[in-house]
Amino acid sequence: MPLANPCTSQHLGSNCAEPSSRGANVRPDLATGKSRYVLTSRTQRLGGRGRGRRGPELLSCVLGPRLYKIYRERETDRAASSVSEPPTAVPAPSSSSWDTYYQPYALEKHADRILALASVFWSISYYSSPFAFLYLYRKGYLSLSKVVPFSHYAGTLLLLLAGVACLRGIGRWTNPQYRQFITILEATHRNQSAENKRQLANYNFDFRSWPVDFHWEEPSSRKGSRGGPSRRGVALLRPEPLHRGTADTFLNRVKKLPCQITSYLVAHTLGRRMLYPGSVYLLQKALMPVLLQGQARLVEECNGRRAKLLACDGNEIDTMFVDRRGTAEPQGQKLVICCEGNAGFYEVGCVSTPLEAGYSVLGWNHPGFAGSTGVPFPQNEANAMDVVVQFAIHRLGFQPQDIVIYAWSIGGFTATWAAMSYPDISAVILDASFDDLVPLALKVMPDSWRVLVTRTVRQHLNLNNSEQLCRFQGPVLLIRRTKDEIITTTVPEDIMSNRGNDLLLKLLQFRRWEVEEDWCLSVLHSYQAEHGPDFPWSVGEDMSTDGRRQLALFLARKHLHNFEATHCTPLPAQHFQMPWHL
């Protein structure tokens, strides 16, 4: 969902700070109407040791990350800087013509465009390489006499690109804004003090260079613990073997080997990209302006704090936290962890719904999405969710009882995994989610591929949401889109084929909460008082058919909420509510 950028180059409000608020003050040239940058004493002080070597080394500028944006100064930053800043800085003029995007000089701008174009061509070549190699082989171009000249051309091209990168570094080195940024970045890598991190948070740049803020082994309870995750990953529910009871002899293994190899190749090429299109580099490149706008909104308007988390598999997870605990609204004391869809990012995803409802929010990107590294297979997804929950508890200071997991679409997998693995969390809200991936995968693939698709999903892409959800004892709310075109197995208008129905049925069958409302409540209260709150319940065994039907309808209304919309329509804040519990 695209979000409006509060500051654009066409119009800026008077409260939008100019780039000069980061240490490079802007002095207007009255003759030309243009502005030039003048380093203040703050920039010189941040340089510190760099003063003797003329600011940051040229090599740091060549190898440094790409700088996208300098955020508007927030009230907390402005108050802190007013204490530490000497009164000699020249105040920036109030102007509505300045955008807060980083303003590169011409040399850096053109070099960046060339390198970005080369990166796009490389990505296209990577995805099309199997077809290209097949074509070259048929044409006889893979002989040694043809490959050697081609390697010379490729080497020359790489040298030219290296030269372009050096020119970009020179352009950065001559830009005081970038030199100030690289000085702060290097200082933060040397010393991750609170002040250095606060200054670094004023910049949006290539997230690969962001220092790690939280490590999966950081919680003291996990160090040396046998029950916690290892570097191999957290625990997942494994699917049952396809052929139970068959002797797993060497001959059977050999017979299965071709199918297993095919399933692996399908999952790691076409399957993963179809299931998680947001991990495709070209799509992320196209969405980059929208993602930058969304991130600017979260940082500048909502005072969001970005952090990099290191999961147990080595993947780096990009997160954004908005703290509402200091507000007068009671819901700000609860944290909503948002799990995005298969093409969703926290910058423009479902985080907007709990934000508008007044909750504290923690958003994160799937492995391989935007700033997060890795690939979004189920094991990596669960590893990422685990470190996100640990970060919320041990660094942000929320108790599990104050954490709500909210997921949209395919994010239901990580949400139900968290509910299964952290049973003390407050509640789970699943919006437009499904029970199992296999029926939806069979819908979009040829019928002749049925066996291959089932095997591939079960072995490599097993999103068993209902199985995980049934292991959670707490409150659950399911939001069903009545015009959902994604998780229906026939047509969007056929609400009976919506897989959200199956998720609800499996939940109710496990909990066995089978409509006169007062009567249903009295039955449930009596059963709870006699047998305790833990599921599964066997309430209704001694009832008549009509009584069980009444109880089932009552529970379905409590656990399922209809929303008249399609799959990708943003959920309005008034539809975001806490689940019912007895």
Side-chain angles (χ1 to χ4, degrees):
M1 176 186 68
L3 299 176
N5 186 9
C7 298
T8 63
S9 57
Q10 288 78 17
H11 177 74
L12 286 178
S14 59
N15 63 335
C16 293
E18 293 77 7
S20 57
S21 62
R22 293 297 168 264
N25 285 327
V26 180
R27 291 182 182 171
D29 188 332
L30 298 180
T32 62
K34 297 182 180 179
S35 301
R36 56 192 176 92
Y37 295 102
V38 179
L39 288 178
T40 66
S41 58
R42 181 185 180 192
T43 305
Q44 295 166 357
R45 184 176 71 255
L46 288 171
R49 305 172 191 170
R51 200 180 309 170
R53 55 187 178 109
R54 292 195 169 194
E57 293 284 358
L58 178 60
L59 184 61
S60 298
C61 295
V62 173
L63 301 178
R66 183 174 180 181
L67 178 58
Y68 296 111
K69 188 175 178 66
I70 304 175
Y71 291 124
R72 288 197 322 238
E73 193 161 14
R74 292 160 285 182
E75 293 298 328
T76 53
D77 294 339
R78 194 174 293 114
S81 62
S82 64
V83 175
S84 59
E85 285 285 337
T88 57
V90 179
S94 178
S95 170
S96 62
S97 62
W98 278 97
D99 193 0
T100 56
Y101 281 99
Y102 165 62
Q103 305 293 331
Y105 287 174
L107 186 60
E108 180 187 355
K109 182 188 298 184
H110 296 313
D112 253 332
R113 287 175 179 173
I114 294 173
L115 293 174
L117 187 62
S119 176
V120 170
F121 277 126
W122 169 255
S123 182
I124 295 174
S125 302
Y126 173 80
Y127 291 123
S128 61
S129 57
F131 305 102
F133 274 113
L134 182 61
Y135 175 80
L136 293 174
Y137 175 77
R138 287 186 172 181
K139 294 293 183 179
Y141 291 141
L142 294 183
S143 61
L144 187 62
S145 60
K146 300 292 180 72
V147 171
V148 172
F150 177 77
S151 63
H152 291 164
Y153 296 143
T156 303
L157 180 60
L158 289 177
L159 287 176
L160 290 175
L161 291 176
V164 172
C166 292
L167 292 176
R168 181 180 64 176
I170 295 173
R172 290 172 172 175
W173 188 68
T174 59
N175 191 328
Q177 280 189 310
Y178 192 89
R179 289 169 60 188
Q180 178 187 354
F181 155 70
I182 202 68
T183 300
I184 296 174
L185 178 62
E186 290 180 341
T188 307
H189 278 288
R190 288 193 301 267
N191 178 19
Q192 293 195 33
S193 64
E195 175 63 16
N196 285 342
K197 284 188 173 183
R198 184 189 68 79
Q199 293 173 355
L200 189 64
N202 293 326
Y203 297 91
N204 187 352
F205 56 95
D206 190 344
F207 200 62
R208 288 174 295 183
S209 299
W210 190 284
V212 173
D213 296 285
F214 183 83
H215 194 283
W216 68 280
E217 284 185 322
E218 186 171 320
S220 57
S221 60
R222 291 193 164 200
K223 294 178 179 177
S225 173
R226 294 183 179 180
S230 66
R231 294 190 180 275
R232 299 175 60 184
V234 297
L236 291 179
L237 296 178
R238 301 297 177 183
E240 294 183 359
L242 294 178
H243 305 287
R244 282 172 48 184
T246 304
D248 193 17
T249 62
F250 176 76
L251 183 59
N252 284 333
R253 291 182 181 181
V254 172
K255 289 180 179 179
K256 295 177 183 177
L257 189 59
C259 295
Q260 292 175 346
I261 293 175
T262 304
S263 296
Y264 180 88
L265 293 176
V266 170
H268 286 76
T269 53
L270 179 66
R272 189 260 295 178
R273 290 171 176 84
M274 287 185 62
L275 189 58
Y276 290 95
S279 64
V280 177
Y281 171 77
L282 293 177
L283 178 62
Q284 295 184 34
K285 196 75 175 175
L287 291 176
M288 180 62 71
V290 178
L291 299 182
L292 291 177
Q293 279 190 8
Q295 197 164 101
R297 170 183 174 269
L298 292 171
V299 172
E300 295 175 345
E301 297 184 6
C302 304
N303 202 25
R305 302 205 304 264
R306 200 177 186 188
K308 177 186 283 189
L309 317 183
L310 186 64
C312 60
D313 51 16
N315 288 335
E316 298 171 346
I317 306 304
D318 184 5
T319 68
M320 180 69 73
F321 170 56
V322 178
D323 195 353
R324 296 281 179 78
R325 284 174 289 188
T327 64
E329 298 178 353
Q331 59 265 39
Q333 303 302 314
K334 280 190 174 292
L335 175 69
V336 178
I337 300 180
C338 298
C339 304
E340 301 291 345
N342 63 356
F345 304 81
Y346 73 69
E347 292 90 341
V348 291
C350 63
V351 298
S352 59
T353 298
L355 274 179
E356 292 175 11
Y359 291 88
S360 296
V361 173
L362 176 60
W364 61 282
N365 281 329
H366 297 282
F369 282 54
S372 298
T373 63
V375 287
F377 282 103
Q379 183 66 67
N380 297 345
E381 289 275 290
N383 296 341
M385 188 63 188
D386 179 69
V387 75
V388 168
V389 176
Q390 289 293 317
F391 175 69
I393 296 172
H394 295 281
R395 178 62 62 84
L396 301 182
F398 287 90
Q399 296 298 317
Q401 296 82 2
D402 296 325
I403 295 176
V404 176
I405 308 295
Y406 169 49
W408 173 60
S409 190
I410 209 170
F413 172 74
T414 48
T416 55
W417 181 89
M420 173 186 69
S421 304
Y422 293 90
D424 293 332
I425 63 172
S426 176
V428 174
I429 302 174
L430 302 179
D431 179 13
S433 196
F434 51 87
D435 61 324
D436 187 19
L437 182 62
V438 170
L440 300 176
L442 292 174
K443 179 187 78 168
V444 299
M445 301 303 290
D447 191 60
S448 57
W449 290 23
R450 176 175 293 271
V451 176
L452 176 62
V453 169
T454 303
R455 179 187 295 273
T456 301
V457 169
R458 287 286 178 250
Q459 290 184 352
H460 303 284
L461 302 168
N462 191 39
L463 306 185
N464 49 344
N465 298 348
S466 60
E467 189 179 4
Q468 295 181 150
L469 184 63
C470 287
R471 301 195 175 216
F472 177 58
Q473 303 287 324
V476 176
L477 175 65
L478 307 181
I479 300 174
R480 181 179 62 175
R481 309 293 184 102
T482 57
K483 301 177 182 178
D484 201 312
E485 72 280 15
I486 301 297
I487 65 169
T488 50
T489 54
T490 55
V491 293
E493 293 76 17
D494 183 14
I495 196 171
M496 296 301 294
S497 69
N498 190 306
R499 297 303 299 188
N501 301 333
D502 300 86
L503 183 60
L504 174 65
L505 287 174
K506 290 174 183 177
L507 178 67
L508 294 181
Q509 286 170 1
F510 176 78
R511 296 194 172 188
R512 300 296 291 271
W513 282 0
E514 310 233 337
V515 152
E516 187 177 328
E517 193 160 308
D518 293 338
W519 176 80
C520 293
L521 283 173
S522 64
V523 170
L524 295 174
H525 279 299
S526 300
Y527 187 93
Q528 184 184 53
E530 183 177 351
H531 297 89
D534 293 339
F535 298 103
W537 286 11
S538 57
V539 60
E541 288 183 338
D542 55 348
M543 287 184 185
S544 64
T545 303
D546 184 65
R548 274 181 270 181
R549 184 180 298 112
Q550 287 285 315
L551 201 55
L553 291 173
F554 168 80
L555 290 167
R557 288 210 308 265
K558 294 296 184 181
H559 283 293
L560 185 68
H561 170 68
N562 279 332
F563 175 41
E564 297 287 337
T566 57
H567 187 79
C568 296
T569 303
L571 184 70
Q574 60 267 26
H575 287 270
F576 187 85
Q577 57 192 19
M578 290 298 106
W580 171 83
H581 61 92
L582 191 60

